[in-house]
């Protein structure tokens, strides 16, 4: 049996290593099919630092503390216990084998045993978590993940650490007087003292062989399954994190990257010179960049993205995890066709040829024809809230991939939801998504008791003022958002801040068009604004819309516009701290005292990390109690308006805004609602969506008529103007 164990262990090792090396070459070959992705290697020092922080430090994993801690111990065990595998090979031939030089040095043995026990406890915990969550349908973050792979990997780790502990216990009894309990402090007690040494030597050989077979069987399984992300992420996550979009370490949020042609940003002035076969956006899996294909390879199917996705939570077909998994399966199934010479493609298997004919985006449930890889309902359910990107522990860039596919659908295939026709028409002809007259951009300022300076009329340019107040389309045209615009203007006037607006010279930033995939319209609007801002000598801009903030701050630098852009809550908070605005307490017994819950706009929070200024402002209001919703800050739930969803109907599942409104109302009720409470936010899109949700609840008698949705600026103005 001893000889058989040695032969099997060595044979499995050879097969495992060969298959593993072959699989690595296959993965590299697939990733190389992608398009260039420039800028992925800039600032290598920063990249190394952030990669080590995210891997060794588990900074992203620890967003889920218990799971993160357990995974860290398993991760450390996977790497640190590698030397025990070398020892196991030696023990096949000499049960008393120890590593040269290190031998049974106590600190090494202590570390091995501590890590093994910690790994054992942690992997048991993770297995229990998987068991408890499996079979719970869409509520489970593992829904759609390949359970057998998850359990197989976890049981492999469990088997290895059990073998390590067993080997340590047997070594202690076998070596006898050569060692002491000091060498094996956590395993010496596992076997009885009277065990026959003659049985220990073959026992060590067999257990060492089992350990090797378990390890190498794992290599064989993953070597035969290059799409087994739950296993391969142990290797691919390192480069995937190192090559992340932002060398600063931030997730791939904020700016959307420009369309790239041959590794260079597309110059829309030269678009007519492009080859007719040039793809704008991603229409085939090989149109993704090599980083995109590495993303697909690295997905570990943990489902953190799925657990936070507002579309998935409200019954939509979009799961960021399943989308990435589907793209991975398609990429690897189509790869042999792409890698074959054109003359040899007819010789590839029928299954590969069938995969090569599948449209990347198209209905997946059809009677006739070829099913698509990604269903259009999946693609257009995304609100671009960024929860998936923010949660992903291996830095997959879900939103970029979704929007690249939208770009192709809109600009190359003209396939998009019909409601977007009105959006595009309004943006192209009127410069705003509501298709209203451009001459009405200053209507919000009518009847204000103070003048609002307009560039080109009241001031020549912005050189003599502190800020350009970017009003935005919602702030100029949407009735509820106009109240926010007026409140900010009045607060700036009270504080003595010198500002001016562009008036009719302002047009939409283009954010709705870009998130809908229409880069043509975005470029048209953005270039117009860029010229206006440069002519006006804009250097500092304050905005009330989180989407305008993101475009002006993060995307306009791609067009050469570099201004300091602040959200109105940031500026107002600074003015309060500096004593230029003073909130006044409500009269005792007044109903003005209220409970407020704050909703984090996705494009203010996750995309731009602005969490504290709005809360600081609310905290500065006397007589106000601030109650946080369960899902808040980085885990805030979307209002449903982002990604141009403001202009699309929700026909599948339940409404995202209703889900969030319910949570806000439950929070207010649990905090002792007095009927004069408010849901506060800092984005006009959020305000529209939450107001619609609240109105529906009030019509059904499920919310007090006096509860309101207000911008933080309105609440501040109410307190500043309050008489003492």
């Amino acid at each position: 049996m001893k000889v058989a164990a040695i032969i099997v262990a060595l044979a499995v090792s050879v097969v495992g290593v060969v298959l593993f090396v072959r699989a690595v070459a296959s993965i590299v070959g697939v990733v190389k099919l992608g398009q260039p992705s420039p800028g992925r290697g800039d600032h290598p020092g920063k990249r190394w630092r952030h990669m080590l922080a995210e891997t060794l430090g588990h900074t992203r994993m620890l967003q889920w503390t218990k799971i993160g801690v357990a995974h860290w111990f398993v991760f450390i065990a996977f790497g640190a216990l590698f030397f025990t595998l070398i020892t196991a090979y030696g023990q096949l031939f000499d049960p008393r084998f120890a590593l040269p030089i290190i031998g049974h040095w106590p600190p090494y043995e202590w570390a091995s045993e501590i890590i093994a026990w910690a790994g054992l406890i942690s992997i048991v915990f993770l297995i229990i978590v998987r068991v408890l969550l499996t079979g719970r349908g869409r509520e489970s973050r593992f829904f759609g993940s390949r359970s057998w792979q998850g359990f197989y990997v976890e049981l492999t780790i469990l088997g290895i650490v059990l073998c390590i502990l067993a080997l340590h216990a047997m070594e202690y009894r076998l070596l006898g007087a050569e060692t002491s309990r000091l060498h094996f402090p956590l395993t010496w007690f596992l076997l009885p003292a009277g065990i026959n040494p003659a049985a220990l030597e073959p026992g060590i050989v067999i257990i060492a062989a089992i350990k090797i077979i378990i390890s190498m069987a794992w290599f064989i399984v993953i070597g035969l399954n290059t799409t087994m992300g739950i296993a391969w992420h142990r290797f691919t996550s390192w480069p995937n994190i190192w090559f992340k979009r932002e060398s600063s370490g931030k997730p791939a949020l904020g700016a959307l990257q420009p369309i790239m042609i041959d590794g260079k940003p597309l110059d829309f002035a030269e678009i007519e010179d492009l080859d007719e076969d040039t793809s704008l956006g991603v229409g085939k899996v090989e149109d993704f960049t090599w980083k995109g294909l590495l993303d697909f390879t690295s997905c570990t199917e943990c489902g953190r993205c799925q657990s936070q996705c507002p579309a998935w939570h409200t019954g939509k077909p979009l799961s960021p995890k399943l989308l990435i998994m589907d793209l991975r399966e398609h990429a690897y199934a189509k790869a042999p066709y792409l890698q074959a010479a054109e003359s040899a493609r007819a010789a590839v298997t029928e299954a590969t040829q069938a995969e090569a004919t599948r449209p990347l985006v198209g209905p997946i449930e059809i009677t006739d024809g070829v099913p698509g890889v990604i269903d259009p309902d999946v693609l257009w359910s995304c609100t671009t809230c960024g929860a998936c990107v923010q949660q992903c522990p291996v830095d997959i860039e879900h939103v970029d991939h979704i929007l690249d596919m939208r770009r192709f659908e809109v600009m190359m295939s003209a396939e998009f939801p019909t409601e977007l026709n009105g959006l595009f028409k309004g943006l192209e002809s009127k410069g705003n998504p509501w298709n209203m007259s451009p001459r009405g951009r200053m209507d919000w300022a009518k009847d204000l008791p103070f003048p609002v300076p307009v560039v080109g009329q009241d001031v020549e340019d912005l050189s003599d003022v502190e800020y350009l107040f970017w009003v935005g389309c919602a702030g100029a045209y949407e009735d509820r958002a106009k109240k926010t615009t007026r409140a900010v203007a009045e607060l700036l006037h009270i504080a003595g801040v010198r500002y001016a607006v562009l008036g009719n010279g302002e047009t939409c930033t283009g954010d709705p068009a870009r998130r809908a995939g229409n880069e043509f319209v975005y470029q048209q609007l953005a270039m117009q604004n860029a010229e206006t801002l440069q002519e006006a000598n804009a250097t500092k801009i304050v905005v009330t819309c989180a989407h305008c903030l993101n475009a002006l701050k993060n995307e306009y630098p791609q067009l050469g516009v570099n201004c300091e852009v602040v959200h109105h809550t940031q500026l107002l908070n600074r003015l309060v701290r500096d004593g230029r605005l003073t909130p006044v307490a409500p009269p005792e017994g007044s109903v003005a005292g209220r409970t407020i819950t704050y909703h984090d706009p996705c494009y203010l929070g996750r995309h731009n990390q602005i969490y504290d200024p709005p809360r600081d402002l609310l905290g500065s209001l006397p007589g106000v109690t601030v109650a946080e919703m369960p899902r808040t800050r980085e885990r805030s739930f979307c209002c449903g308006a982002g990604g141009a969803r403001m202009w699309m109907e929700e026909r599948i599942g339940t409404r995202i805004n209703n889900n969030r409104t319910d949570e806000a109302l439950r929070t207010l009720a649990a905090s002792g609602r007095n009927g004069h409470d408010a849901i506060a936010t800092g984005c006009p899109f959020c305000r529209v969506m939450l107001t619609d949700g609240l109105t529906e609840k009030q019509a059904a008698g499920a919310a007090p008529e006096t509860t309101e949705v207000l911008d933080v600026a309105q609440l501040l103005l109410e307190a500043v103007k309050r008489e003492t």
Side-chain angles (χ1 to χ4, degrees):
M1 185 173 180
K2 176 179 173 182
V3 174
I6 294 173
I7 293 173
V8 172
L10 294 178
V12 170
S13 297
V14 172
V15 175
V17 170
V18 169
L19 290 177
F20 180 79
V21 171
R22 190 186 71 169
V24 169
S26 175
I27 289 172
V28 171
V30 172
V31 171
K32 288 173 67 176
L33 292 171
Q35 302 302 309
S37 186
R40 295 287 180 172
D42 62 340
H43 307 293
K46 289 183 179 179
R47 291 184 177 278
W48 279 108
R49 184 165 63 252
H50 291 300
M51 186 268 284
L52 293 173
E54 287 191 33
T55 52
L56 299 182
H58 262 43
T59 50
R60 298 288 286 280
M61 283 295 299
L62 288 169
Q63 292 180 110
W64 295 34
T65 307
K66 294 178 182 177
I67 300 293
V69 169
H71 189 277
W72 185 84
F73 280 113
V74 172
F75 161 77
I76 292 297
F78 183 85
L81 298 178
F82 172 77
F83 289 111
T84 67
L85 185 60
I86 299 175
T87 302
Y89 278 106
Q91 289 172 326
L92 288 178
F93 304 97
D94 179 7
R96 296 173 180 270
F97 176 83
L99 291 174
I101 302 175
I102 296 176
H104 295 290
W105 185 43
Y108 169 72
E109 301 290 11
W110 300 342
S112 298
E113 295 196 355
I114 291 171
I115 293 171
W117 277 110
L120 175 64
I121 295 169
S122 297
I123 200 63
V124 168
F125 170 72
L126 294 178
I127 290 173
I128 292 172
V129 169
R130 187 177 293 273
V131 169
L132 292 176
L133 291 180
T134 298
R136 292 174 57 182
R138 288 177 64 104
E139 293 182 9
S140 170
R141 62 186 175 92
F142 293 123
F143 180 84
S145 300
R146 289 168 292 194
S147 295
W148 77 264
Q149 294 185 359
F151 283 118
Y152 173 72
V153 170
E154 289 166 345
L155 291 173
T156 294
I157 297 169
L158 177 64
I160 290 172
V161 293
L162 287 174
C163 286
I164 290 170
L165 294 172
L167 285 169
H168 272 238
M170 297 170 77
E171 285 178 78
Y172 170 71
R173 294 301 178 190
L174 176 65
L175 297 174
E178 298 177 34
T179 59
S180 67
R181 293 180 181 179
L182 182 65
H183 293 80
F184 301 96
L186 299 178
T187 55
W188 64 267
F189 53 85
L190 294 178
L191 291 176
I195 191 168
N196 185 357
L200 289 173
E201 290 196 2
I204 288 177
V205 173
I206 291 171
I207 298 298
I210 292 173
K211 180 179 183 300
I212 292 169
I213 291 169
I214 291 173
S215 301
M216 289 302 129
W218 182 78
F219 270 67
I220 291 172
V221 171
I222 71 171
L224 295 172
N225 292 272
T226 50
T227 60
M228 193 172 176
I230 193 169
W232 279 107
H233 86 278
R234 284 160 175 76
F235 308 104
T236 59
S237 62
W238 300 79
N240 206 54
I241 294 171
W242 198 93
F243 287 114
K244 68 194 302 182
R245 198 178 81 185
E246 304 292 340
S247 61
S248 63
K250 295 188 298 183
L253 296 171
L256 180 61
Q257 298 302 285
I259 291 177
M260 307 299 289
I261 304 294
D262 296 328
K264 298 179 181 179
L266 173 61
D267 184 347
F268 275 76
E270 302 175 359
I271 195 165
E272 294 183 358
D273 300 328
L274 293 176
D275 186 279
E276 62 180 12
D277 295 328
T278 300
S279 175
L280 301 181
V282 170
K284 303 182 294 295
V285 74
E286 60 267 31
D287 291 338
F288 284 107
T289 66
W290 62 263
K291 176 56 168 64
L293 297 178
L294 183 58
D295 273 356
F296 309 155
T297 305
S298 301
C299 178
T300 184
E301 303 178 23
C302 67
R304 290 188 179 207
C305 57
Q306 181 174 287
S307 73
Q308 303 298 304
C309 178
W312 184 257
H313 264 282
T314 52
K316 315 290 191 294
L318 168 63
S319 157
K321 176 190 70 179
L322 297 179
L323 178 138
I324 295 297
M325 289 171 61
D326 288 342
L327 291 172
R328 176 175 63 200
E329 297 293 330
H330 176 59
Y332 279 81
K334 187 179 180 180
Y337 177 86
L338 298 172
Q339 292 166 334
E342 197 151 344
S343 59
R345 287 179 174 174
V348 300
T349 66
E350 289 186 12
T352 299
Q353 291 188 41
E355 195 68 33
T357 63
R358 294 181 68 189
L360 187 65
V361 177
I364 59 174
E365 294 184 4
I366 57 176
T367 303
D368 299 315
V370 181
V373 178
I374 304 299
D375 194 274
D377 285 334
V378 170
L379 189 66
W380 292 104
S381 291
C382 180
T383 67
T384 68
C385 70
C388 50
V389 178
Q390 195 275 329
Q391 281 292 320
C392 182
V394 295
D395 280 300
I396 293 172
E397 299 164 5
H398 313 73
V399 173
D400 285 1
H401 304 322
I402 289 171
L403 293 184
D404 276 339
M405 288 187 283
R406 283 189 181 182
R407 283 167 161 170
F408 185 90
E409 290 299 291
V410 171
M411 294 187 290
M412 303 296 290
S413 300
E415 295 286 347
F416 51 85
T418 55
E419 304 99 310
L420 292 178
N421 280 312
L423 168 68
F424 296 152
K425 180 181 177 182
L427 291 172
E428 286 185 272
S429 62
K430 303 291 180 61
N432 68 83
W434 280 277
N435 205 16
M436 298 181 73
S437 171
R439 292 189 295 273
R441 278 195 172 267
M442 286 302 295
D443 288 353
W444 64 270
K446 289 180 178 178
D447 304 323
L448 281 175
F450 54 86
V452 176
V454 179
V455 176
Q457 297 178 20
D458 305 297
V459 295
E460 185 176 345
D461 60 24
L462 296 164
S463 303
D464 296 326
V465 300
E466 294 178 69
Y467 287 95
L468 165 65
F469 180 15
W470 185 274
V471 177
C473 298
Y477 295 110
E478 208 282 321
D479 288 339
R480 288 159 288 194
K482 284 182 186 179
K483 296 176 182 178
T484 301
T485 308
R486 291 169 65 92
V488 171
E490 189 165 357
L491 287 165
L492 296 179
H493 176 73
I494 293 171
V497 176
R498 291 177 294 111
Y499 70 94
V501 300
L502 292 173
N504 296 339
E506 181 182 303
T507 191
C508 181
T509 61
D511 168 84
R514 197 172 215 197
R515 265 62 196 176
N518 197 331
E519 193 76 7
F520 289 132
V521 173
Y522 165 74
Q523 290 287 335
Q524 170 191 327
L525 296 168
M527 292 301 293
Q528 180 180 337
N529 280 325
E531 184 178 348
T532 300
L533 291 169
Q534 289 165 348
E535 289 178 355
N537 294 322
T539 57
K540 297 168 72 175
I541 305 174
V542 59
V543 301
T544 59
C545 176
H547 298 263
C548 292
L549 170 90
N550 186 68
L552 293 168
K553 178 182 177 181
N554 298 320
E555 297 184 335
Y556 275 37
Q558 297 171 1
L559 305 172
V561 178
N562 292 283
C563 297
E564 178 189 339
V565 185
V566 298
H567 191 248
H568 69 286
T569 58
Q570 292 176 296
L571 177 57
L572 295 177
N573 189 46
R574 193 183 313 156
L575 295 174
V576 170
R577 287 201 316 265
D578 293 345
R580 296 171 68 177
L581 292 172
T582 305
V584 177
E588 189 172 346
S590 168
V591 295
R594 60 171 98 193
T595 299
I596 297 172
T597 188
Y598 176 70
H599 163 77
D600 286 284
C602 299
Y603 273 78
L604 189 62
R606 270 188 295 270
H607 282 276
N608 285 282
Q609 295 80 54
I610 299 174
Y611 297 108
D612 292 327
R615 289 175 168 79
D616 291 344
L617 267 181
L618 293 174
S620 72
L621 305 181
V624 163
T625 300
V626 180
E628 291 281 9
M629 285 185 256
R631 295 177 293 188
T632 188
R633 292 183 176 265
E634 290 87 353
R635 295 198 188 184
S636 178
F637 196 72
C638 182
C639 74
R645 289 293 321 175
M646 170 80 90
W647 292 273
M648 290 184 263
E649 287 298 322
E650 284 190 65
R651 297 186 177 90
I652 304 174
T654 57
R655 295 185 65 84
I656 294 173
N657 63 323
N658 287 347
N659 185 296
R660 185 58 164 171
T661 303
D662 285 341
E663 182 177 6
L665 292 173
R666 287 195 302 269
T667 301
L668 291 173
S671 300
R673 175 196 292 162
N674 62 19
H676 293 272
D677 302 323
I679 305 168
T681 189
C683 174
F685 286 21
C686 296
R687 183 173 180 183
V688 167
M689 301 300 283
L690 294 175
T691 300
D692 288 349
L694 178 62
T695 300
E696 186 176 323
K697 293 296 176 184
Q698 289 172 332
E705 291 294 329
T706 50
T707 300
E708 301 175 274
V709 179
L710 298 170
D711 190 274
V712 174
Q714 291 177 273
L715 291 162
L716 176 62
L717 180 63
E718 175 188 286
V720 168
K721 293 181 67 175
R722 188 179 293 139
E723 295 183 4
T724 57

